[in-house]
Amino acid sequence: MTAIDPGPRGAIDMTHGAGGRAMAGLIRDVFHRHLGNAYLAQGDDGALLGRVEGRLVMATDAHVVSPLFFPGGDIGALAVHGTINDIAMMGARPLWLSASFILEEGLALATLDRIVASMARAAREAGVPVVTGDTKVVEKGKGDGVFIATTGVGDLADGVAISGAGARPGNVILVSGTMGDHGVAILSRREGLAFETEIVSDSQPLHDLVAAMLASVSGIRVLRDPTRGGLAATLNEIAHQSQAGMVLDEPAVPVQPEVAAACELLGLDPLNIANEGKLVAICEAADAEALLAAMRAHPRGRDAAIIGEVVADERTLVRMRTRLGGMRVVDWIDGEQLPRIC
């Protein structure tokens, strides 16, 4: 069996998905070369996993970001971080990932190699291996380069109960850092925008931050990562799940000046812009200051802030006290603001 050419002149063709020599070479020379571990080495149609402590948690996600590479990240690392964070938002410890690749005919093998290398690096740094996967090839024009679907499995300790339905009036709302970085980073590369300081994606795993938060206080009721639709969509989802309202303080919501300026220029609201390495936490009021201190003590939460509170409201509205002293509704966006963002 000959090795495939991972150089710039090599490209995916339909034989790489046909189950023969080319497909075996692709799996060996790209996927196993970068992602290889004892689970993948089993060579079976699935991975035989070990026993876990506590309860099982599973999450799945699909990643269709365009462009594939952007300031601060790429689709490979994003696929790892996104699913790890979905597990972590349940309060669970992520253990294993699976990955499914949909490759478009004509995709440069060098591009795929770079994506898989980044994915492997992200998985190693997070300590969460990719243990099984699949690859399919579609005709040119049907895949837009590469799509990646990932599924994660983790374990949840007994006594931990975190859910979007857990917010109660009087609870305090926190975020782990600045809002809108990922979406504006994608937009800047897609539209060719230049800023004095480059805006980079916040794509990063959050499970270690969550572990530190859970160790610091017992009153965390909700965790959620504000990805598509940004902070606004996430808080509206939680409000509807919990059948409560929320009131935010606009000056308290952290936004980088460069992101705020870009949004003002483009007529966008930073609260509607996607994030890929930030979280929302809702906790008991008595625990808020201790939780904030624990978040700020962690490198992935150093810009954490208390931004508002949960209130009783049968309409389940999310509202914001503005800098001018007024009050406005923070609603879901209507339509597609930034396509292919994650």
Side-chain angles (χ1 to χ4, degrees):
M1 188 182 300
T2 59
I4 63 171
D5 173 19
R9 289 177 294 180
I12 292 292
D13 60 43
M14 296 305 295
T15 67
H16 288 119
R21 289 175 183 255
M23 182 173 175
L26 179 71
I27 292 171
R28 182 194 65 220
D29 295 335
V30 175
F31 295 107
H32 278 212
R33 180 164 64 90
H34 291 299
L35 295 168
N37 54 60
Y39 296 102
L40 288 177
Q42 293 172 9
D44 295 319
D45 286 344
L48 179 62
L49 306 175
R51 297 182 184 276
V52 304
E53 300 177 6
R55 295 159 289 167
L56 283 175
V57 171
M58 188 171 81
T60 192
D61 204 354
H63 307 272
V64 296
V65 65
S66 176
L68 299 176
F69 304 94
F70 46 83
D74 57 75
I75 192 172
L78 183 67
V80 170
H81 296 158
T83 298
I84 284 175
N85 291 346
D86 285 345
I87 294 289
M89 294 309 107
M90 299 289 292
R93 176 183 60 157
L95 297 173
W96 304 292
L97 297 170
S98 72
S100 179
F101 288 76
I102 308 298
L103 307 176
E104 183 185 24
E105 181 184 17
L107 174 70
L109 285 167
T111 297
L112 178 62
D113 192 77
R114 181 180 169 191
I115 289 168
V116 178
S118 177
M119 190 174 196
R121 184 165 53 251
R124 284 194 304 271
E125 291 173 354
V128 185
V130 177
V131 299
T132 188
D134 188 44
T135 303
K136 293 293 187 293
V137 178
V138 297
E139 294 88 349
K140 190 172 183 62
K142 295 186 177 180
D144 201 12
V146 55
F147 300 150
I148 305 175
T150 44
T151 295
V153 175
D155 64 342
L156 182 65
D158 291 338
V160 177
I162 293 175
S163 167
R168 297 291 181 268
N171 290 170
V172 173
I173 307 166
L174 303 90
V175 294
S176 63
T178 53
M179 296 288 102
D181 298 349
H182 175 72
V184 173
I186 295 289
L187 185 63
S188 68
R189 183 55 53 92
R190 186 183 293 157
E191 302 299 333
L193 301 177
F195 306 99
E196 288 187 8
T197 302
E198 184 178 44
I199 299 170
V200 300
S201 170
D202 59 357
S203 180
Q204 59 183 347
L206 297 172
H207 58 305
D208 288 342
L209 171 60
V210 169
M213 293 166 62
L214 290 172
S216 69
V217 301
S218 60
I220 299 175
R221 303 190 62 88
V222 181
L223 291 170
R224 191 68 61 86
D225 53 339
T227 53
R228 281 173 298 177
L231 181 64
T234 297
L235 292 181
N236 274 280
E237 289 172 0
I238 296 169
H240 278 72
Q241 279 185 267
S242 296
Q243 289 297 293
M246 298 182 186
V247 176
L248 310 180
D249 184 16
E250 185 175 27
V253 179
V255 179
Q256 289 195 69
E258 297 85 359
V259 171
C263 288
E264 184 175 358
L265 176 68
L266 298 167
L268 303 175
D269 186 341
L271 301 190
N272 295 135
I273 306 298
N275 311 272
E276 285 294 342
K278 305 290 167 51
L279 62 79
V280 176
I282 298 178
C283 72
E284 300 287 352
D287 288 327
E289 291 297 334
L291 181 58
L292 178 64
M295 294 168 74
R296 288 180 172 174
H298 193 282
R300 302 196 194 280
R302 60 179 178 269
D303 295 320
I306 293 173
I307 64 167
E309 62 181 338
V310 181
V311 298
D313 185 349
E314 293 181 354
R315 301 167 297 172
T316 66
L317 291 179
V318 178
R319 296 175 294 154
M320 174 178 281
R321 298 187 190 96
T322 70
R323 288 183 173 86
L324 299 177
M327 188 78 77
R328 74 174 178 91
V329 173
V330 178
D331 207 352
W332 276 308
I333 57 173
D334 186 13
E336 189 174 36
Q337 187 179 46
L338 294 174
R340 304 291 306 281
I341 206 71
C342 57

Coordinates of all heavy atoms in Angstrom, one line a residue, residues 211-260:
A211 N -14.3 22.8 36.1 CA -13.9 22.0 37.3 C -13.5 22.9 38.5 O -13.8 22.6 39.6 CB -12.7 21.0 36.9
A212 N -12.7 23.9 38.2 CA -12.3 24.9 39.2 C -13.6 25.6 39.8 O -13.6 25.8 41.0 CB -11.3 25.9 38.7
M213 N -14.5 25.9 39.0 CA -15.7 26.6 39.5 C -16.5 25.7 40.4 O -17.0 26.1 41.4 CB -16.6 27.0 38.3 CG -15.9 28.1 37.4 SD -16.7 28.4 35.8 CE -18.4 28.8 36.3
L214 N -16.7 24.4 39.9 CA -17.5 23.5 40.7 C -16.8 23.2 42.1 O -17.5 22.9 43.1 CB -17.7 22.2 39.9 CG -18.6 22.2 38.7 CD1 -18.5 21.0 37.9 CD2 -20.0 22.5 39.2
A215 N -15.5 23.2 42.1 CA -14.7 23.0 43.3 C -14.8 24.2 44.3 O -14.6 24.0 45.5 CB -13.3 22.7 43.0
S216 N -15.2 25.4 43.8 CA -15.2 26.6 44.6 C -16.5 26.8 45.3 O -16.5 27.3 46.4 CB -14.8 27.8 43.7 OG -15.9 28.1 42.8
V217 N -17.6 26.5 44.7 CA -18.9 26.7 45.3 C -19.9 25.6 44.9 O -19.6 24.8 44.0 CB -19.6 28.0 44.8 CG1 -18.7 29.2 45.1 CG2 -19.8 28.0 43.3
S218 N -20.9 25.5 45.7 CA -21.9 24.4 45.5 C -23.2 24.9 44.8 O -24.1 24.1 44.5 CB -22.2 23.7 46.8 OG -22.8 24.6 47.7
G219 N -23.3 26.2 44.6 CA -24.6 26.8 44.2 C -24.7 27.1 42.7 O -25.5 28.0 42.4
I220 N -23.9 26.5 41.9 CA -24.0 26.7 40.4 C -25.3 26.0 39.9 O -25.4 24.8 40.1 CB -22.8 26.3 39.7 CG1 -21.5 27.0 40.2 CG2 -23.0 26.5 38.2 CD1 -20.2 26.5 39.5
R221 N -26.1 26.7 39.3 CA -27.4 26.1 38.8 C -27.4 25.9 37.3 O -28.1 25.0 36.8 CB -28.6 27.0 39.3 CG -28.7 27.2 40.8 CD -30.0 27.9 41.2 NE -31.1 27.0 40.8 CZ -31.6 26.1 41.6 NH1 -31.1 25.9 42.8 NH2 -32.6 25.4 41.3
V222 N -26.7 26.8 36.6 CA -26.8 26.7 35.1 C -25.4 27.0 34.6 O -24.7 27.9 35.1 CB -27.8 27.8 34.5 CG1 -27.8 27.7 33.0 CG2 -29.2 27.6 35.1
L223 N -25.0 26.3 33.6 CA -23.8 26.6 32.8 C -24.2 26.5 31.3 O -24.9 25.5 30.9 CB -22.6 25.6 33.1 CG -22.0 25.7 34.4 CD1 -21.0 24.5 34.7 CD2 -21.2 27.0 34.6
R224 N -23.7 27.4 30.5 CA -24.0 27.3 29.1 C -22.9 28.1 28.3 O -22.5 29.1 28.8 CB -25.4 27.9 28.8 CG -25.9 27.6 27.4 CD -26.3 26.2 27.1 NE -27.3 25.7 28.0 CZ -28.6 25.8 27.8 NH1 -29.1 26.4 26.8 NH2 -29.5 25.2 28.7
D225 N -22.5 27.6 27.1 CA -21.6 28.3 26.3 C -22.3 29.1 25.2 O -23.1 28.5 24.5 CB -20.5 27.4 25.7 CG -21.0 26.2 25.0 OD1 -22.2 25.8 25.2 OD2 -20.3 25.7 24.1
P226 N -22.2 30.4 25.2 CA -22.9 31.2 24.2 C -22.4 31.2 22.8 O -21.7 32.2 22.4 CB -22.9 32.6 24.9 CG -21.6 32.6 25.6 CD -21.3 31.2 26.0
T227 N -22.6 30.2 22.1 CA -22.1 30.0 20.7 C -23.0 30.7 19.7 O -23.1 31.9 19.8 CB -21.8 28.5 20.4 OG1 -23.1 27.8 20.6 CG2 -20.8 28.0 21.3
R228 N -23.6 30.0 18.8 CA -24.4 30.6 17.8 C -25.5 31.4 18.4 O -26.2 31.0 19.3 CB -25.0 29.6 16.8 CG -24.1 29.1 15.8 CD -24.7 27.9 15.0 NE -25.0 26.8 15.9 CZ -25.5 25.6 15.5 NH1 -25.9 25.5 14.3 NH2 -25.7 24.7 16.4
G229 N -25.7 32.7 17.9 CA -26.7 33.6 18.5 C -26.2 34.3 19.7 O -26.8 35.3 20.2
G230 N -25.0 34.0 20.2 CA -24.3 34.8 21.2 C -25.0 34.7 22.6 O -25.8 33.9 22.9
L231 N -24.6 35.7 23.4 CA -25.1 35.8 24.7 C -26.7 36.0 24.7 O -27.4 35.4 25.6 CB -24.5 37.0 25.5 CG -24.9 37.2 26.9 CD1 -24.5 36.0 27.8 CD2 -24.2 38.5 27.4
A232 N -27.2 36.8 23.8 CA -28.6 37.0 23.8 C -29.4 35.8 23.6 O -30.4 35.5 24.3 CB -28.9 38.0 22.6
A233 N -29.0 34.9 22.6 CA -29.8 33.7 22.4 C -29.6 32.7 23.5 O -30.6 32.1 23.9 CB -29.3 33.0 21.1
T234 N -28.4 32.7 24.1 CA -28.2 31.7 25.2 C -29.1 32.1 26.4 O -29.7 31.3 27.0 CB -26.7 31.7 25.6 OG1 -26.0 31.3 24.5 CG2 -26.5 30.9 26.8
L235 N -29.1 33.4 26.8 CA -29.9 33.8 27.9 C -31.4 33.6 27.7 O -32.2 33.3 28.6 CB -29.6 35.2 28.3 CG -28.2 35.5 28.9 CD1 -28.0 36.9 29.2 CD2 -27.9 34.6 30.1
N236 N -31.9 33.9 26.5 CA -33.3 33.6 26.1 C -33.6 32.2 26.2 O -34.7 31.8 26.7 CB -33.6 34.2 24.7 CG -34.0 35.7 24.8 OD1 -35.1 36.0 25.1 ND2 -33.0 36.5 24.4
E237 N -32.7 31.3 25.8 CA -33.0 29.9 25.9 C -33.1 29.5 27.4 O -34.0 28.7 27.8 CB -31.8 29.1 25.3 CG -31.7 29.1 23.8 CD -30.5 28.5 23.2 OE1 -29.6 28.0 24.1 OE2 -30.3 28.5 22.0
I238 N -32.2 30.0 28.2 CA -32.2 29.6 29.6 C -33.5 30.2 30.3 O -34.2 29.5 31.1 CB -31.0 30.2 30.4 CG1 -29.7 29.5 29.8 CG2 -31.1 30.0 31.9 CD1 -28.4 30.1 30.3
A239 N -33.9 31.4 29.9 CA -35.1 32.1 30.5 C -36.3 31.2 30.2 O -37.2 31.0 31.0 CB -35.2 33.5 29.9
H240 N -36.4 30.7 28.9 CA -37.6 29.9 28.5 C -37.5 28.6 29.3 O -38.6 28.1 29.7 CB -37.6 29.7 27.0 CG -38.2 30.9 26.3 ND1 -37.6 32.1 26.2 CD2 -39.4 31.0 25.6 CE1 -38.3 32.9 25.5 NE2 -39.4 32.3 25.1
Q241 N -36.3 28.0 29.4 CA -36.3 26.7 30.1 C -36.6 26.8 31.5 O -37.3 26.0 32.1 CB -34.8 26.1 30.0 CG -34.5 25.4 28.7 CD -33.1 24.8 28.8 OE1 -32.1 25.4 28.4 NE2 -33.0 23.6 29.3
S242 N -36.2 27.9 32.2 CA -36.4 28.1 33.6 C -37.7 28.8 33.9 O -38.1 29.0 35.1 CB -35.2 28.9 34.2 OG -34.0 28.2 34.1
Q243 N -38.4 29.4 32.9 CA -39.6 30.1 33.1 C -39.4 31.3 34.1 O -40.1 31.5 35.0 CB -40.7 29.2 33.6 CG -41.3 28.3 32.5 CD -41.9 29.0 31.3 OE1 -42.9 29.6 31.5 NE2 -41.3 28.9 30.2
A244 N -38.3 32.1 33.8 CA -38.0 33.2 34.6 C -37.5 34.3 33.6 O -37.3 34.1 32.4 CB -36.9 32.9 35.6
G245 N -37.4 35.5 34.2 CA -36.8 36.6 33.4 C -35.4 36.9 33.8 O -34.9 36.3 34.8
M246 N -34.7 37.8 33.1 CA -33.4 38.2 33.4 C -33.2 39.7 33.2 O -33.8 40.3 32.3 CB -32.4 37.5 32.6 CG -32.4 36.0 32.8 SD -31.1 35.1 31.8 CE -31.6 33.4 32.2
V247 N -32.4 40.4 34.0 CA -32.1 41.8 33.9 C -30.6 41.9 33.9 O -29.9 41.5 34.8 CB -32.7 42.7 35.0 CG1 -32.2 44.1 34.8 CG2 -34.2 42.6 34.9
L248 N -30.0 42.5 32.8 CA -28.6 42.6 32.6 C -28.2 44.1 32.8 O -29.1 45.0 32.6 CB -28.1 42.2 31.2 CG -28.6 40.8 30.7 CD1 -28.0 40.5 29.4 CD2 -28.2 39.7 31.7
D249 N -27.0 44.3 33.1 CA -26.4 45.7 33.3 C -25.4 45.9 32.1 O -24.4 45.3 32.1 CB -25.7 45.8 34.6 CG -25.2 47.2 34.9 OD1 -25.7 48.1 34.2 OD2 -24.4 47.4 35.8
E250 N -25.8 46.7 31.2 CA -25.0 46.9 30.0 C -23.5 47.2 30.2 O -22.6 46.5 29.7 CB -25.6 47.9 29.0 CG -24.8 48.0 27.7 CD -25.5 49.0 26.7 OE1 -26.2 49.9 27.2 OE2 -25.3 48.8 25.5
P251 N -23.2 48.1 31.1 CA -21.8 48.4 31.4 C -21.0 47.3 31.9 O -19.7 47.2 31.8 CB -21.8 49.6 32.3 CG -23.1 50.2 32.2 CD -24.0 49.1 31.8
A252 N -21.7 46.3 32.6 CA -21.0 45.2 33.2 C -20.6 44.1 32.2 O -19.8 43.2 32.5 CB -21.9 44.6 34.3
V253 N -21.2 44.1 31.0 CA -21.0 43.0 30.0 C -19.6 43.3 29.4 O -19.5 44.3 28.7 CB -22.1 42.9 29.0 CG1 -21.8 41.8 28.0 CG2 -23.4 42.7 29.7
P254 N -18.6 42.4 29.5 CA -17.3 42.7 29.0 C -17.3 42.5 27.4 O -17.6 41.4 26.9 CB -16.4 41.7 29.7 CG -17.3 40.6 30.1 CD -18.6 41.2 30.3
V255 N -16.8 43.5 26.7 CA -16.6 43.5 25.3 C -15.3 44.2 25.0 O -15.1 45.3 25.4 CB -17.8 44.1 24.5 CG1 -17.6 44.1 23.0 CG2 -19.1 43.5 24.9
Q256 N -14.4 43.6 24.2 CA -13.2 44.2 23.8 C -13.5 45.5 23.0 O -14.4 45.5 22.2 CB -12.3 43.3 23.0 CG -11.7 42.1 23.7 CD -10.6 41.5 22.9 OE1 -9.6 42.1 22.7 NE2 -10.9 40.3 22.4
P257 N -12.8 46.6 23.2 CA -13.0 47.8 22.4 C -13.0 47.6 20.9 O -13.8 48.1 20.2 CB -11.9 48.7 22.9 CG -11.5 48.2 24.2 CD -11.7 46.7 24.2
E258 N -12.1 46.7 20.5 CA -12.0 46.4 19.0 C -13.2 45.7 18.5 O -13.7 46.0 17.4 CB -10.7 45.6 18.7 CG -9.4 46.3 19.0 CD -9.0 46.1 20.5 OE1 -9.8 45.5 21.3 OE2 -7.9 46.6 20.9
V259 N -13.8 44.8 19.3 CA -15.0 44.1 18.9 C -16.2 45.1 18.9 O -17.0 45.1 18.0 CB -15.2 42.9 19.9 CG1 -16.6 42.3 19.6 CG2 -14.2 41.9 19.7
A260 N -16.2 45.9 20.0 CA -17.3 46.9 20.0 C -17.3 47.8 18.8 O -18.3 48.2 18.2 CB -17.2 47.7 21.3

